Amino acid sequence: MKAIRRFTVRTVVPAQISALTKLATNLRWSWHVPTRALFESLNPELWAASRQNPLAMLGQLSREQLQKLADNPEVVARVAAASQNLEAYLSEPRWYQGLGAEAPQCVAYFSPEFGITEVLPQYSGGLGILAGDHLKSASDLGVPLIGVGLLYQAGYFKQSLSRDAWQQESYPLLDPDSLPLTQLREADGTPAQVQLPLPDGRLLRANIWRADVGRVPLLLLDSNVAENDDAARGVTDRLYGGGGDHRLTQELLLGMGGVKALRVHARLTGTTAPEVFHTNEGHAGFLGIERIRELMDPDVTAHPLSWAEALAAGRASTVFTTHTPVPAGIDRFPRTMIETFFAGSLAPGVPVAEILALGAENYDGGDPEMFNMAVMGLRLAQRANGVAKLHGVVSRGMFSGLWPGFDQQDVPITSVTNGVHVPTWVAPELAAMAREHLGSDVLDGPNWSKVYEVSDADLWALRRRLRQKLVTDARRRLRSSWKKRGSADAQLAWTDSVLDPDVLTIGFARRVPTYKRLTLMLRDPARLKALLLHPTHPIQIIIAGKSHPADDAGKKMIQDLVQFTDDPEVRHRIVFLPNYDIAMARTLFPGCDVWLNNPLRPLEACGTSGMKAAINGSLNLSVMDGWWDEMYDGENGWAIPTANSGAGDDERDDIEASALYELLETQVAPRFYGEVAPVSAGAAGPSQGRDGELPAHWISMIKHTLANLGPAVSANRMVAEYVQRLYQPAAESARRAKADNYASVRQLAQWSGEMRQAWPEVRVEHVDTHNLADEPQIGETVEVRAWVKLGGLDPADVHVNVVYGTAGDSDELNDTALLALNHVQDDGNGRHQFAGELLIDRSGDFGYGVQVLPHHEALAHPAELGLITSAR
């Protein structure tokens, strides 16, 4: 008989050890090794059976078992010490508290997914893992940040394989009461809710759940509310599920509902309202519309702003991060659908035409019938960034249509390269070595420079232990996968001996869209087999990844790959592990010797999986894309050459696959098995070089990777960059905007309107160069004078710049610099002269141009208004 209702009963923990409940519900345990060790020590069998979930483990302990623990003075003392450690972590000043009053008092961070722990499965891939690491590092640094997302009833799907290797999806429902969450409630105990009016008089209600990620609260909205109709209850059914109205409603709830949830949270807890709003990808872009609605609503503010004023005020405090390197990866909705949702009372008082204009693709190549979420995100934010240096270049090109007339390099999108949360992803065994040899603070830095003092034998032995741990885990997972595909135990004895802890191990795990090229390694199956079965330099490959349920091309890649791994000739050397998640990753990254990444360049926005491998001493073998493009230095791994841009798809894949095989055959495998340094007694192992020697060059590359990539790929570095380069300037802009009842915003809105109206009359009429020698020399100066027609504008409203640099064959300027010209004369009738001394600072073909840009102290970037006039 099936239950007609189910609910979770939480364990009552004896008072002596009651702090275990807080330790289990604050997700700091997911990256704090001593807390995890405490829970494991209470009952190792239950810890393993609960999949290392402390809340679930507590729920499985009987009253007698709990009382026995409470009666043990040693256990009570250890729980008290862990509790004190957590309280100190939550309350003591950290890095951020040393920044002073100019730092934002609170930052709201919106994301459609958060990958914090497998216990809270609210993530699908890199975007969510990045968001989770952002929250964890913000907590470690003391950044007063609040996360905002959705609570999906089924999270992302669980993956298995059919007998013929086709991906199968299942969606087990989650009970919020069994998760490390607390429901926000009003003073009378009723659930706190947000509400959004929908078309046809419908109402979407959502409860608010809170997860504590160390010092950072994460608010998650849940539409599974009894008062909702069936469609509304299903809005938060699954991550990236459905399309059309369903997807749009999810994003409206995330953005607009998320802002409402922040207001409820501040009211109930007394916490500071956010000064800065960070939109992690376009999914949450509607948060800007809700903030505009608030500023225009006379019931919310005593002095409501106009649309233009509210837009300026909202933009001042908003940061937008794009993670997408291709237009196809951006959410777009029919313009008519947006109009339908906003025609009612979703945002009363906010002009629907202005909302539609924010997402309009009114640029060359755009579709005027579509509403683009990333475009809206950019137009609603005064500051924007990509997630790697190369991705910043790609993003400036992809969105350059929003700034016509500007060179791509001047498009106002900067970059902050992603990072990974070191304490989460570094293996406990490596962390222990670090504490022993490098100092207890190494994971907070991290400063791994002392790794060179660790003996080669100790480091090599550690790498083998991590590889052995991975092999053991992979065998267990592979056996489970084959049983789900229909095999019997009697047929699976071979899984007990797949993989070898002394063989060069390559890892490849990520989402499986086609551009990541999961099957590039299969381009020449015979050559791959030869690598796997090499008599003296064999390799083994462990692969994992999920394809989106609607992506049949990605599923076909998985099927092709798995069918290759099923071959009895090679299945002991290459395996595919289904249901890639955080739990698998914690063993996979440390256990691999090499991390493989072969996307189509430049379609990898960042690719943080290789960073997680690097902080564990794995070497990267990657196409020069994402983070690797800026951090590869020749001694931390290998760069896979890319084909010329003119090559066709098949030719390109052939060339790059051949380059991959060549690297593995001639450099990677021989170096791993090389013989360089003699081994000390007792340290030898089968994976050492011939005659029991250590591969000294390989080990030197491991040490170099740990010492140099550790700090560079840390999420602490990333979050500190966001704080200093984006959050602090945004907070300063927000405070200026809000001062004196938004006086500066009102003035800026009026000024911007006047600039847009007057700009068509602005032109550079003439440019002269004085004192230019017949044969100019480096170090000489020339006077540049420009006559500019400003119409009704004041010279203080503009900057007139000389852009100079090396002139190419088509007169395009490269390696440019700017010289601001000074206003020197008013010639009347709106005509003005600007002049300056230009230093000739290079030889060869030198050239310059003149441009006019709007200027206002409240603009974050000269290109912000999208207005420019250049000399012709």
Side-chain angles (χ1 to χ4, degrees), residues 569-588:
E569 186 181 2
V570 297
R571 66 187 182 186
H572 64 299
R573 285 280 189 258
I574 181 169
V575 299
F576 180 88
L577 305 179
N579 206 39
Y580 179 44
D581 66 356
I582 290 175
M584 183 192 296
R586 281 202 303 266
T587 304
L588 182 58

Side-chain angles (χ1 to χ4, degrees), residues 415-459:
S415 63
V416 175
T417 301
N418 283 345
V420 297
H421 185 245
V422 175
T424 292
W425 298 109
V426 74
E429 297 87 347
L430 184 58
M433 184 206 75
R435 280 189 289 272
E436 178 183 354
H437 293 281
L438 316 181
S440 60
D441 62 343
V442 67
L443 295 184
D444 293 328
N447 175 13
W448 290 76
S449 60
K450 291 185 179 180
V451 72
Y452 291 106
E453 300 175 13
V454 179
S455 74
D456 285 5
D458 285 347
L459 186 57

Side-chain angles (χ1 to χ4, degrees), residues 386-407:
V387 292
K389 288 181 179 178
L390 178 59
H391 181 236
V393 173
V394 171
S395 298
R396 288 189 286 276
M398 188 165 71
F399 294 110
S400 60
L402 299 179
W403 290 272
F406 286 87
D407 292 339

